[in-house]
Amino acid sequence: MKRYLYLWHRWLGIVACLFMALWFISGVVMLYVGYPKLTPAERLAHLPVLALEKGSVDLEQVLHAADPEQAPTSIRLTTVAGAPRYILEYPGLRKVAIEADSGLQALPTDQVEALAAARQFAPGVAVRDRGAVQGDMWSQSRALDADRPLYRVAIADAERRLLYVSGSTGEVVRDATATERGWNWIGAWLHWLYPLRGIGIDGAWGPIVTYLSLAATLMAVLGLAVGLLRWRFTRTYRSGSHSPYQGVARWHHVGGLLFGVLLITWIFSGLMSMNPWKLFSSAQPLSVAAYQGGPLNAAAFPLGADEALRRFAEDGLRVRELEWRMIGGKGYVIGYDSAGRTRILSMADGRVLLQFNPGTLQQAAWAIRPERPMIVQQLAAYDFYYYAREPHSMMGHLEQRLPVLRVRFDDPARTWLHLDLHTGAVVSQLDQPRRASRWLFGLLHSWDWLPLLANRPLWDLWMILFSAGGLLISGTGMVLGWRRLGRSLKWGRR
């Protein structure tokens, strides 16, 4: 039995250790430089103050021009290439852009408009067209699918950004600085094995990463078992050491015993990030459609965009973008300034609010499952299931404001909703599978644990030490494995 443990560990390690070494190196890079993204805060900071011409179209005209048969899931009014434009989103990853001045659908983005969008993003800076693509190494995210094709524009700002402009709306939807592009060659692009995408095997990318992670996890478990079997705890070998190995092999043996458990948890949690075999997918996801209380329609918004801008300005908010929301069957317009600060305009009484009354959101949430009890809690501080990360991290772009309302439902999956009191948005939906993912991925892989996150030098030291230990094991294992493979090939030629 021992012989088979050694053989499985050895031959799995010949392949897996190479990828594990790459994962640890790239993982350290990702601690400080994430995959390129345009966060909501960055997007708002680069928008001009929203201004409308007299005679701009009303919401009813906008909805009719976009799709007279279907209600949108989202409505925003922003500035695109120097002009106000409504952006409507529909089910099935479909976006429609309507010109606020004419009420006509915007034409598909072309090179001229892409350059104009880039000049709005970075006024006074030279811009250069880099062509249109369906996707490239910095735009692999599925979140961009509704915006493809993407127009790339290089801008000569201090960060030497590469901007990606939506082919459907004309908005800048991603920026990639020179620093991000440079470090990501050995960062997220390598960590997520993105070289396997875009070469005709995109459909196999997920299974390849999943089964490679599974093989690496098995190899690490076997390695820890072998290491314990070979270590003499009460006596020594003839060399005087508790390990029978010398040189690189001893480093591998001792490193495995010191860091083996952490290595297993990291590789296993990386496997969990792929949601293998849909372990964390909900069998009965809770529908939150009733939270809106009705579709987005013009009748719920008697006050127009120009009036909303006037009232927000009177309240001291220099609006960059407007968003229309239905909550509990009532209409609200949310105004955002360049720093992401918000105000709420209630259509019921025309008042401008700093945040929602918790009772308003609670009543709207109750409509989701009115026949069942629910528990409501207002959070004034972060906890294990609701917390913020650095913007460059994988989920750091998601805004996690405080205070927030947590609503717990008595449905089969024991679903929790987090409701943003500043915008009324459903920030997150956590059921039992997703809470399990929080433990098996978020905690074990990124060590998203508040006592560590709140003390960044401690978190950094922990993650770097952990990574160095994993690199020691995988690096020495790679050397040993390839030495063994070389000997086997040499004997095979005789």
Side-chain angles (χ1 to χ4, degrees), residues 61 75 105 141 167 172 213 291 297 369 437:
Q61 292 173 278
I75 304 174
Q105 281 201 26
S141 172
V172 175
S213 301
Y291 176 72
N297 59 69
R369 284 179 66 85
S437 176

Side-chain angles (χ1 to χ4, degrees), residues 47-366:
L47 288 176
V49 174
L50 185 58
L52 290 174
E53 298 290 337
K54 290 184 179 180
S56 297
V57 296
D58 58 28
L59 188 60
E60 184 174 3
Q61 292 173 278
V62 170
L63 292 170
H64 187 270
D67 189 335
E69 304 297 330
Q70 186 178 27
T73 58
S74 169
I75 304 174
R76 293 182 291 117
L77 176 59
T78 188
T79 308
V80 178
R85 183 175 290 182
Y86 286 88
I87 309 297
L88 297 91
E89 298 184 28
Y90 292 86
L93 295 175
R94 182 166 66 97
K95 292 184 178 181
V96 179
I98 304 297
E99 303 290 358
D101 295 336
S102 67
L104 300 175
Q105 281 201 26
L107 296 174
T109 305
D110 57 15
Q111 179 186 13
V112 173
E113 184 169 74
L115 293 173
R119 293 188 183 99
Q120 175 186 292
F121 187 93
V125 173
V127 301
R128 182 163 56 93
D129 174 54
R130 294 289 297 274
V133 293
Q134 284 296 325
D136 62 10
M137 64 187 65
W138 313 127
S139 57
Q140 294 287 342
S141 172
R142 297 299 182 197
L144 297 176
D145 285 354
D147 297 295
R148 304 183 196 279
L150 300 168
Y151 286 79
R152 299 180 300 182
V153 181
I155 60 175
D157 66 345
E159 301 293 335
R160 291 187 291 146
R161 284 182 171 89
L162 181 63
L163 302 182
Y164 291 80
V165 180
S166 170
S168 56
T169 69
E171 294 181 284
V172 175
V173 292
R174 172 151 298 185
D175 72 327
T177 67
T179 299
E180 289 172 333
R181 298 195 305 273
W183 279 107
N184 262 276
W185 285 105
I186 56 172
W189 187 74
L190 189 62
H191 194 79
W192 296 333
L193 300 185
Y194 274 174
L196 297 178
R197 301 182 66 167
I199 59 173
I201 59 170
D202 283 20
W205 172 80
I208 289 174
V209 176
T210 296
Y211 286 103
L212 186 58
S213 301
L214 181 61
T217 302
L218 177 60
M219 183 271 297
V221 170
L222 294 175
L224 183 59
V226 169
L228 291 171
L229 288 172
R230 297 292 285 162
W231 184 265
R232 288 185 174 176
F233 289 91
T234 58
R235 55 195 180 92
T236 63
Y237 290 92
R238 289 182 180 179
S239 64
S241 171
H242 291 277
S243 171
Y245 305 110
Q246 300 293 324
V248 174
R250 178 178 290 182
W251 281 102
H252 184 70
H253 189 195
V254 174
L257 292 176
L258 290 175
F259 298 100
V261 173
L262 293 176
L263 176 77
I264 292 168
T265 60
W266 208 336
I267 301 301
F268 173 75
S269 58
L271 169 64
M272 294 298 100
S273 74
M274 298 300 295
N275 188 18
W277 313 288
K278 298 184 178 180
L279 291 176
F280 306 123
S281 298
S282 305
Q284 295 178 303
L286 183 67
S287 172
V288 298
Y291 176 72
Q292 285 191 181
L296 284 166
N297 59 69
F301 300 94
L303 300 179
D306 53 351
E307 180 64 15
L309 289 175
R310 186 184 69 80
R311 298 197 183 196
F312 285 136
E314 290 176 351
D315 200 63
L317 190 75
R318 290 171 59 83
V319 173
R320 259 59 174 185
E321 187 168 274
L322 294 178
E323 182 179 16
W324 280 255
R325 286 192 180 277
M326 288 288 293
I327 298 174
K330 297 179 180 179
Y332 300 90
V333 176
I334 316 298
Y336 297 82
D337 73 0
S338 60
R341 292 182 291 264
T342 57
R343 294 291 188 278
I344 305 158
L345 177 60
S346 169
M347 294 290 109
D349 53 21
R351 289 192 304 141
V352 175
L353 311 171
L354 182 61
Q355 64 182 44
F356 280 96
N357 185 313
T360 299
L361 301 189
Q362 181 176 338
Q363 184 177 2
W366 182 81

Side-chain angles (χ1 to χ4, degrees), residues 11 14 19 154 200 229 246 335 350 400 404 440:
W11 293 108
I14 287 175
F19 288 96
L229 288 172
Q246 300 293 324
Q400 307 284 355
V404 69
L440 297 179

